[in-house]
Amino acid sequence: MTPAPPRDDTRTLATVAHTAFFLLLGASLLRFLLRHPGEPRTPWIIALSITLALLYVLGPALGAAPTARRLLWLGLVVTTWVVLVVLAPSFAWCAVPLFFTALRTLPPRAAVVLVALLTGFVVIAQLKLSKSFDPNLLLAPPAVAALATAVFVHMERQAQAQRTLIDDLIRTRRELAATERREGTLAERQRLSMEIHDTLAQNLSSQQMLLQAADRTWDSDPATARAHVRTATGIAAHGLAEARRLVHDLAPSELADGAGLAEALRALDAGPDIEVRFHLEGTPAPLPDRVQSALLRIAQGALANVREHSGARTAALTLSFLGDQVVLDIADDGHGFAEPRTDAAERGHGLPAMRARVRQLGGTLTIESAPGEGTVLSAAIPLEPAP
């Protein structure tokens, strides 16, 4: 099961704190208007309440990092709240959400100092508002501040521990995947080396011995020499069959079991966000294995580029049989690019590998693109005329 993002709990707490702030601000304003109607300070209270609400709304847009703008914003919010509490002590309880804002914005020590100052100011305001001494007004605000601070610090530590754990898991998974790839590569190299040693190398060694023996007996015993040559010829035919088998084993798995190129291209996928369409034009003709393999690899590489770089929503594969050549077009509706790409300007291995595959088969690879108009990659490979 995939762990939840480490900041989900902090985001939920932020939403609760923001909602609580506006509820407390609205309730305090309503309480003042009901209990002190028509007082000269009422316009100031309303104006400061609106100013404090607007300032608070700007907070999320500045981010949570302690930048200069964020610190200036926090100072304006606290100053406006202090002036508002001086005029109307009932606004003191708006400090509880401000505790969370301070803890998110400032370093731990500075945040604790600000929370303590805000708590002291709340205590003074509540004692001023009360007609008689009440111990709860002296003890409750520090208790609430301490609880809020402890909960936030605990959640931050848990979130940091979870982020560290996720980073470790991702790093371990990448290392494991890299190790598995290396082991798979080494195992495949070992398998191929054993296959070559047991077949091609042995056949070549036998041919060399037979041909050397035929050379030694060519003048003295021509019949035996010719027998050695015939035996070497049979071993060469067997070695050629083994070499073809090895090449066939290295062919793409999508073309295994006699699957044609059209079926393999139709089954390609570029990810859940890109729709891939396949079109077949012309009369299909048998293609050499190396041509099928090259076109399939080019299509796979082109779709990988579409997925990673183009921002496209759709891609179209068109396989055209034109008699003397076969053409594969890959078109997308992505953002495209302005300058034509050459071998020297291309980065990575994708496009250079495609050009190398096409060049080995005597074909051409062309790319057409324009900003906002997508990209079309076309691979044309000549075909030998049918007998």
Side-chain angles (χ1 to χ4, degrees):
M1 181 178 179
T2 303
R7 293 192 178 272
D8 279 357
D9 293 338
T10 303
R11 190 178 297 111
T12 301
L13 183 58
T15 302
V16 172
H18 298 334
T19 304
F21 176 81
F22 288 108
L23 289 176
L24 291 172
L25 182 62
S28 300
L29 179 60
L30 181 61
R31 180 181 183 276
F32 176 82
L33 295 177
L34 292 176
R35 295 198 175 189
H36 307 278
E39 287 196 6
R41 54 179 174 166
T42 299
W44 289 100
I45 297 298
I46 296 176
L48 288 171
S49 299
I50 296 175
T51 303
L52 183 59
L54 293 176
L55 285 173
Y56 197 86
V57 168
L58 293 177
L62 300 177
T67 60
R69 291 192 302 173
R70 178 76 176 179
L71 296 177
L72 177 61
W73 168 83
L74 181 61
L76 291 175
V77 169
V78 172
T79 302
T80 305
W81 174 79
V82 168
V83 174
L84 190 58
V85 173
V86 171
L87 296 177
S90 58
F91 285 85
W93 285 109
C94 293
V96 176
L98 293 181
F99 294 164
F100 174 76
T101 303
L103 290 168
R104 287 192 64 196
T105 303
L106 299 175
R109 292 184 178 179
V112 171
V113 172
L114 181 58
V115 168
L117 293 176
L118 293 178
T119 303
F121 198 76
V122 170
V123 172
I124 296 172
Q126 291 299 308
L127 292 176
K128 179 181 178 182
L129 188 64
S130 177
K131 296 180 180 179
S132 60
F133 177 76
D134 187 350
N136 287 332
L137 300 179
L138 183 64
L139 300 178
V144 172
L147 179 62
T149 304
V151 169
F152 180 84
V153 171
H154 178 69
M155 290 185 61
E156 278 294 305
R157 288 177 178 175
Q158 281 191 328
Q160 182 60 40
Q162 191 176 10
R163 287 192 293 270
T164 303
L165 177 60
I166 291 176
D167 292 341
D168 291 341
L169 289 175
I170 293 175
R171 183 171 58 256
T172 302
R173 185 170 62 182
R174 289 175 178 173
E175 293 175 354
L176 180 60
T179 301
E180 291 178 349
R181 286 195 297 270
R182 286 195 298 269
E183 291 179 352
T185 301
L186 293 176
E188 183 64 14
R189 288 179 179 176
Q190 185 177 8
R191 185 188 72 82
L192 288 176
S193 65
M194 291 188 297
E195 289 279 351
I196 294 174
H197 176 269
D198 295 340
T199 55
L200 299 180
Q202 294 293 342
N203 289 338
L204 290 174
S205 177
S206 299
Q207 291 176 55
Q208 183 183 27
M209 294 176 60
L210 289 169
L211 292 175
Q212 289 176 348
D215 182 63
R216 287 194 301 268
T217 60
W218 193 264
D219 295 329
S220 60
D221 192 354
T224 301
R226 284 192 290 271
H228 289 330
V229 172
R230 287 193 295 270
T231 303
T233 302
I235 293 176
H238 183 266
L240 179 60
E242 288 292 338
R244 288 173 175 171
R245 183 186 65 82
L246 288 174
V247 172
H248 182 270
D249 290 342
L250 294 177
S253 59
E254 295 85 351
L255 298 174
D257 300 328
L261 177 61
E263 289 77 8
L265 293 175
R266 186 177 284 109
L268 291 181
D269 184 24
D273 298 328
I274 302 176
E275 179 184 3
V276 179
R277 303 168 184 169
F278 174 75
H279 307 279
L280 180 63
E281 296 183 358
T283 303
L287 297 176
D289 291 342
R290 60 175 186 165
V291 174
Q292 295 190 67
S293 299
L295 290 178
L296 179 60
R297 295 307 190 200
I298 290 172
Q300 291 172 331
L303 289 180
N305 287 340
V306 170
R307 180 177 60 252
E308 296 174 4
H309 306 297
S310 72
R313 304 297 298 177
T314 61
L317 302 178
T318 304
L319 181 64
S320 304
F321 290 87
L322 305 179
D324 60 343
Q325 65 177 351
V326 59
V327 180
L328 176 64
D329 297 318
I330 302 97
D332 66 78
D333 60 354
H335 49 67
F337 51 87
E339 299 179 356
R341 298 189 178 184
T342 61
D343 288 345
E346 290 167 354
R347 297 181 179 180
H349 302 283
L351 290 177
M354 296 180 197
R355 294 190 186 278
R357 290 181 187 276
V358 174
R359 191 181 298 115
Q360 290 174 356
L361 297 174
T364 58
L365 184 74
T366 58
I367 303 175
E368 298 178 0
S369 184
E373 298 183 5
T375 303
V376 178
L377 184 147
S378 181
I381 298 178
L383 299 177
E384 297 181 0

